[in-house]
Amino acid sequence: MCLAIPAKIETIEGNKAEVDIRGLKRSIGLHMMPDARVGEFVLIHAGFAIQRIDPKEAEETYRLLEETGITIT
Amino acid sequence: MINLDKFRDPVVAAKLVKRIEGLCDGPYAFMEVCGTHTMAISQFGIRGLIPGSIKLLSGPGCPVCVTSLYDIDRMIAIAGLKDVIFTTFGDMIRVPGSHSSLREARSQGADVRILYSPLDALQIAAENPQKQVVFAGVGFETTSPTIIATVLEAKEKGIGNFSVYPAFKTVPNALKAILESGKTKIDGFLCPGHVSAIIGSRPYQFIPAEYHIPCVIAGFEPLDILESIVMLLEQLRSHKKDGLAFSVQTEYRRGVPDAGNPNALAMLDKVTEPCTAEWRAIGSIPETGLCFRNEYVSFDAAKRFEIKVEPAKEPVGCICGQVMMGLHQPDECPMFGKNCTPESPVGPCMVSSEGACAAWYKYGTGN
Ligand code: SF4
Ligand code: SF4
């Protein structure tokens, strides 16, 4: 039930936003993220943006993963 | 688009598995507390990749699985009332109550509708002013803010024929209850990523501080889960070797700031307050429910409708409660895969698509 999927905010009007989920367009609620901006990535759950998703952190985590794997203790 | 597919990269996965093998120095039991993790672990065969000395236990990670029979029976009773449109997320509809389910109620004429978002219920309420529209308020901290945001919008728009049956659950004190029971040996927690997107990392601090158990907030891709296991093992190792204290770490940094989502938390706090909740097959746990504050009690469907139900009857022989406490693996239940299957489930862990029994049945035990 706690599945949330990443989407990109395309337009904002009041507390509603149009988002792109891998090509699929949806209208979602921004009630929990009143300061969200167009172009940001958010996690969508039950028709609402619940949190930002940070592309830089995603890159950084992946880079660390690649590295952690190499050193075997 | 943000590219998360690489979090399934098999080459990196193999490296992480090697690292896990190198680090693992004991029989360890790690508990995941999120149905989405339960599913991912089974789906990607994580149990089969990692050493057998690491046991992955499924905790009470499914809000559907832990909804008490009493609440389910009462929701079914409300759905059956005249002039009620009962709305819910899809996972709830098949869950058997003592005598029936929402799906059965629907086939007997009740107006039960599955919605993707609670906001859709407001639309239905506005279009059907002569009816009462009730939403099944089931969910952890990931989901409850979406339902509470809907209540706030109903209040703002003056939609009076909308209410919510509150069966919300909150995670941190449930973990405390499992630890307090002292029955399950747990060496580390994989904390739920999307619950934590709302509550942040701080509410778990008591686990390392008071119970001396490491915690890692984990993402949902296979590499996230493997890396989180690495992080737990590293904490265990540096504790053993250098006496370092355990902590709450976040692997899922891309979606979990330490403070969570303060707006969502403020909304929850405005409308609800913590209360004791009844967890199916586990029992009542203080401060793990959310009840409407007085100012919002008019939105409480449990108070709006006068309903009486018979005392709840649990299915005989189902050991869901022990599975969710990490005391048994699903295939240790004598009914698993025999008289209990997803097509004809006996207990809630087999109904809910993310229940431990359903995940094991669908993907195999992975051992
Ligand atoms: S099984 Fe379904 S209801 Fe239960 S936690 Fe998982 S997603 Fe949520
Ligand atoms: S297999 Fe079925 S009966 Fe056994 S614990 Fe799981 S849900 Fe309950």
Side-chain angles (χ1 to χ4, degrees), chain B residues 23-286:
Chain B
L23 276 170
C24 185
D25 57 352
Y28 288 127
F30 298 147
M31 178 176 269
E32 91 268 359
V33 218
C34 168
T36 313
H37 280 149
T38 302
M39 283 296 283
I41 286 168
S42 288
Q43 185 183 350
F44 299 114
I46 306 273
R47 282 194 189 83
L49 292 176
I50 61 175
S53 51
I54 302 176
K55 210 169 177 189
L56 297 179
L57 305 171
S58 305
C62 169
V64 171
C65 305
V66 299
T67 301
S68 76
L69 260 188
Y70 174 73
D71 285 330
I72 292 169
D73 289 346
R74 298 222 300 165
M75 285 190 256
I76 295 169
I78 292 174
L81 294 175
K82 201 170 153 283
D83 291 331
V84 163
I85 301 175
F86 195 87
T87 57
T88 175
F89 294 125
D91 344 29
M92 279 305 291
I93 180 148
R94 290 172 60 224
V95 182
S98 298
H99 312 284
S100 175
S101 65
L102 285 169
R103 189 167 62 173
E104 265 172 58
R106 186 174 60 182
S107 70
Q108 284 158 17
D111 191 347
V112 177
R113 303 188 193 177
I114 294 174
L115 304 183
Y116 163 72
S117 169
L119 275 182
D120 300 338
L122 283 192
Q123 182 83 20
I124 297 174
E127 287 164 4
N128 296 276
Q130 75 294 359
K131 301 256 183 173
Q132 285 287 329
V133 176
V134 182
F135 192 82
V138 171
F140 289 150
E141 292 93 326
T142 322
T143 311
S144 45
T146 70
I147 301 169
I148 293 307
T150 306
V151 168
L152 285 168
E153 188 152 326
K155 182 158 186 162
E156 203 184 296
K157 292 189 172 159
I159 301 178
N161 60 331
F162 170 77
S163 60
V164 169
Y165 185 96
F168 304 113
K169 302 279 187 295
T170 56
V171 169
N173 283 326
L175 303 185
K176 188 178 201 133
I178 291 176
L179 293 168
E180 279 297 319
S181 82
K183 288 186 206 145
T184 316
K185 178 185 171 288
I186 296 167
D187 301 295
F189 279 108
L190 293 170
C191 295
H194 290 141
V195 165
S196 308
I198 301 293
I199 69 174
S201 61
R202 289 166 202 153
Y204 307 105
Q205 298 292 356
F206 73 92
I207 299 176
E210 291 166 34
Y211 296 91
H212 309 291
I213 295 174
C215 293
V216 173
I217 297 170
F220 300 94
E221 296 296 337
L223 294 194
D224 289 319
I225 293 170
L226 290 171
E227 171 68 357
S228 301
I229 294 172
V230 167
M231 290 165 81
L232 284 175
L233 290 170
E234 279 174 342
Q235 282 204 42
L236 286 160
R237 171 167 285 211
S238 45
H239 176 76
K240 234 187 221 175
K241 265 176 53 185
D242 308 316
L244 287 188
F246 292 124
S247 64
V248 179
Q249 292 177 298
T250 305
E251 182 277 334
Y252 193 40
R253 294 211 64 84
R254 61 186 183 277
V256 180
D258 285 332
N261 181 332
N263 295 310
L265 292 171
M267 266 177 2
L268 286 182
D269 184 52
K270 182 174 180 183
V271 178
T272 67
E273 58 193 343
C275 57
T276 298
E278 186 70 21
W279 291 60
R280 183 166 192 175
I282 293 176
S284 87
I285 310 178

Side-chain angles (χ1 to χ4, degrees), chain B residues 69 96-98 280-281 312-320 335 345-349:
Chain B
L69 260 188
S98 298
R280 183 166 192 175
K313 270 206 319 241
E314 283 290 349
V316 181
C318 170
I319 59 164
C320 247
M335 291 194 270
V346 173
C349 310

Side-chain angles (χ1 to χ4, degrees), chain A residues 17-64:
Chain A
E18 290 290 321
V19 297
D20 178 311
I21 310 170
R22 286 178 183 256
L24 191 85
K25 311 283 173 192
R26 270 208 97 108
S27 168
I28 54 110
L30 284 180
H31 305 60
M32 273 169 250
M33 307 206 60
D35 52 351
R37 301 234 181 92
V38 169
E40 280 188 318
F41 290 94
V42 286
L43 286 166
I44 309 291
H45 174 71
F48 288 82
I50 63 164
Q51 186 53 271
R52 268 187 188 83
I53 163 157
D54 185 341
K56 272 201 244 91
E57 283 289 1
E59 282 304 320
E60 179 67 9
T61 306
Y62 183 75
R63 198 182 57 73
L64 284 175

